[in-house]
Amino acid sequence: MDDRAVDAGRRQLLKLTGAAALLSAARLSFPSGAFAQSTGPEVKGTRLGYIALTDAAPLIIAKEKGLYAKYGVPDMDISKQASWGATRDNMALGFKANGIDGGHILRPKTHLYSTGKVMQNNQPLPMYTLLNLNEDGQAISVSNEYKDLNVQKDSSPLKQAFERKKAAGKELTAAMTFPGGTHDLWIRYWLAAGGIDPDTDIKVITVPPPQMVANMKVGTMDCFCVGEPWNEQLVNQNIGYTALTTGELWSRHPEKILGMRADFVDANPKATQAILMAVMEAQQWADKRENRQELAEIVGRRQWFNVPVGDINKRLLGDINYGNGREVKGTNLQMKFWGDGGSSSYPWKSLDTWFVTENIRWGKFEPNFDIKALVDKTNRADLWREAAKTLGVAGAPTADTRGVETFFDGVKFDPAAPMDYLKALKIKRVA
C-alpha cells in the first residue's frame, strides 16, 4: 500500500478516536446525554432579565461559573433591567422582539402578569413560576428623621410621629418597588400591623431598587422596603436605619423567583430543564457559607451591580448592622438560596396561595377570586421536581404545601382556608 494512503488512514482513525473520546467525556459531564443532538435543548439559550438585587445571584453565578454551558444552553444572556416596570415591558416583548423570555422577578408578578392586572391594556401574559430563587434577605428601612424612636418590628411608634408630620402639612411617603410585588406586601403588612393604614395614612410610591438610597438621602421618603444590598448601603452611608429584616416579619419567607413566559417553556421543554438545572446548581453553590464572599465579589462587579463588596457581604453572612446602635452577628437572617433538599428553591404552591390572598387583601384581585385555579395554572413545581430528579437531589420536596405559616404578629396562614386568614387581619380592603 502507498505510504501516503497509510498515513491518511492513520489520520482518519485518530480523528474518529478523538471524536469518540470527546463524545464519551461529554456524556459523562452532562446529564442524560445532553450533548446528543437528537435529545439536546431546542435552543442554545435565551435572554433572562435581572434587577441589581442580591437575590438575582443564582442567575449570575450560573453564567459566571459556566453552568448554562454545562447543561447545553451556552448562549444565555443575563441582562440588567432598569426597574421592575422595565422588566414587565421587556417580558411582554419576549426575546424574539428584543425583550426577555424570563428572569429574576418578584414572586407575585407571575400572577399579576398572567391575569393582565399590571399589563398594558390589561392584556394577559401567561407566565410560569419555575423555582424560588431565595428566601429572606430583604428589609424595611426608616429615615434618620425617626432615629430617636428606634423603630423595630412594631411600627406603631411611627403612627403618632406620622400624624404630627401630616398635621404640619408635610407629605408622608413609603416606598416599595412594584405595586402588588413582595416589597409592597411586606411594607403594607408591617405598617398595618402597627395600626398605620398604607392606603390612607401614608402615600405608598414605586421606586426602582437602585434608586432607594439616593431618594431617602434627599428626604423624599420616610421609609422603604427593598432587597439587599440597598438597606445595608443606606446604613453604611448613615442616611437611615433598618427597622427589621423581612425574615423577622416572616421567617424563611419566599421572595424572588425564576419566572418565564409560558410560550417559551411550552415550546422549549428541554431548554427549560437545562436552565432550571443550571440555576439550581448555582443556588447550591451560593448557599455555601464559604462561597458567600466570592458571591459578593462577583455580583458587585461593574457589569452586574457596580456596588462595593462591603455593601453586600455582611448581611449575606447573617451579620446585621441595623444602623441605630443595634448590631447582631451570625443570625439566621441571611439570604437562603437552596436549603435542605432544595426546600428554599422549591416553588411551594401554598406560598403562591398566600401572595394571591394578600393581593386580594389590598384590592389587586376581587374577593371571590379563584386562587387555586391561578396557582395551579402558573406554578410549575412539576418541572422543578423533574430537574431535581435529573440532578440527583436527595430529599427533594414532593408536596404542594409547606404547612401553616406564622407571621411576626402571631397571625397564622392556613393555605387550606385563605379567607380565614384575611378575617384575622386588622386593616384590609375586603370585608
Side-chain angles (χ1 to χ4, degrees):
M1 182 180 291
D2 187 278
D3 287 344
R4 286 175 297 180
V6 171
D7 288 342
R10 285 173 177 168
R11 286 196 296 270
Q12 182 64 20
L13 180 61
L14 286 170
K15 285 181 181 178
L16 291 171
T17 305
L22 284 172
L23 182 59
S24 177
R27 284 173 175 161
L28 288 172
S29 300
F30 288 68
S32 305
F35 274 95
Q37 192 166 356
S38 61
T39 59
E42 302 83 358
V43 294
K44 291 185 178 180
T46 185
R47 182 178 298 126
L48 302 178
Y50 77 95
I51 295 286
L53 291 164
T54 307
D55 40 37
L59 301 185
I60 295 167
I61 294 300
K63 182 73 173 178
E64 289 277 347
K65 297 293 182 181
L67 299 177
Y68 295 122
K70 174 180 176 179
Y71 291 105
V73 281
D75 296 342
M76 293 298 295
D77 178 8
I78 311 303
S79 175
K80 185 186 288 188
Q81 308 294 296
S83 66
W84 291 121
T87 301
R88 171 200 57 204
D89 297 341
N90 283 325
M91 196 80 75
L93 288 172
F95 179 52
K96 291 179 181 178
N98 203 33
I100 59 178
D101 279 334
H104 160 249
I105 61 174
L106 301 158
R107 189 157 181 155
K109 274 176 163 258
T110 299
H111 315 131
L112 297 168
Y113 289 179
S114 294
T115 55
K117 294 293 184 180
V118 297
M119 306 304 293
Q120 188 174 12
N121 300 321
N122 297 318
Q123 181 66 38
L125 175 64
M127 294 282 298
Y128 292 146
T129 296
L130 298 183
L131 59 72
N132 196 58
L133 281 171
N134 68 296
E135 294 174 329
D136 298 343
Q138 323 298 296
I140 295 173
S141 291
V142 178
S143 167
N144 275 343
E145 179 181 350
Y146 307 100
K147 204 162 189 175
D148 63 317
L149 295 178
N150 191 27
V151 182
Q152 299 182 26
K153 287 191 287 187
D154 180 7
S155 66
S156 63
L158 285 171
K159 186 172 176 63
Q160 287 188 338
F162 283 175
E163 289 171 352
R164 288 193 298 270
K165 188 171 181 177
K166 207 170 186 179
K170 297 179 181 179
E171 190 174 65
L172 295 167
T173 304
M176 49 78 193
T177 62
F178 192 83
T182 55
H183 302 126
D184 188 21
L185 300 182
W186 305 144
I187 201 163
R188 285 174 173 273
Y189 194 105
W190 178 69
L191 290 169
I196 302 167
D197 191 318
D199 282 339
T200 60
D201 295 339
I202 192 168
K203 183 179 180 182
V204 179
I205 64 170
T206 302
V207 175
Q211 296 176 24
M212 287 288 189
V213 176
N215 273 272
M216 188 168 277
K217 186 174 183 178
V218 297
T220 59
M221 60 181 69
D222 297 275
C223 55
F224 65 62
C225 182
V226 72
E228 297 302 342
W230 308 112
N231 300 283
E232 187 161 8
Q233 185 178 92
L234 182 85
V235 168
N236 289 344
Q237 294 185 14
N238 195 29
I239 296 167
Y241 65 97
T242 294
L244 75 163
T245 71
T246 48
E248 296 170 81
L249 187 152
W250 176 11
S251 179
R252 301 191 70 95
H253 72 77
E255 183 53 40
K256 308 300 188 304
I257 59 165
L258 169 58
M260 296 197 74
R261 289 173 56 115
D263 57 2
F264 176 88
V265 173
D266 293 343
N268 303 284
K270 293 172 185 174
T272 300
Q273 280 293 301
I275 294 168
L276 266 171
M277 289 189 288
V279 176
M280 289 163 75
E281 185 170 331
Q283 288 183 288
Q284 294 174 55
W285 182 92
D287 223 26
K288 294 178 181 176
R289 188 176 179 87
E290 62 267 27
N291 293 333
R292 292 293 173 107
Q293 178 66 23
E294 185 183 351
L295 187 156
E297 291 170 358
I298 290 172
V299 300
R301 292 173 186 165
R302 180 184 293 272
Q303 71 266 35
W304 298 117
F305 292 3
N306 195 25
V307 171
V309 172
D311 290 343
I312 306 172
N313 57 357
K314 292 181 181 178
R315 293 197 182 194
L316 269 174
L317 297 172
D319 298 343
I320 315 294
N321 175 10
Y322 289 85
N324 60 351
R326 286 193 299 151
E327 190 166 357
V328 294
K329 293 187 177 182
T331 73
N332 193 36
L333 297 173
Q334 80 281 5
M335 193 172 287
K336 297 134 184 101
F337 296 102
W338 183 247
D340 294 336
S343 59
S344 300
S345 169
Y346 186 71
W348 303 90
K349 285 188 177 183
S350 61
L351 303 183
D352 279 340
T353 300
W354 180 83
F355 283 111
V356 179
T357 304
E358 191 71 5
N359 267 321
I360 289 174
R361 176 189 186 185
W362 300 114
K364 292 292 186 293
F365 295 109
E366 302 75 22
N368 60 348
F369 188 82
D370 191 337
I371 300 172
K372 186 177 186 302
L374 179 60
V375 171
D376 286 343
K377 182 179 180 181
T378 57
N379 185 296
R380 296 305 306 271
D382 60 315
L383 298 182
W384 189 99
R385 291 193 294 268
E386 185 180 338
K389 184 177 180 180
T390 304
L391 289 171
V393 175
T398 57
D400 285 337
T401 181
R402 200 171 71 173
V404 175
E405 307 289 338
T406 304
F407 291 77
F408 78 111
D409 57 353
V411 174
K412 294 183 182 297
F413 175 74
D414 183 348
M419 300 314 284
D420 288 347
Y421 158 82
L422 286 183
K423 292 174 185 176
L425 297 166
K426 298 175 185 177
I427 298 175
K428 47 189 174 291
R429 297 281 75 82
V430 294

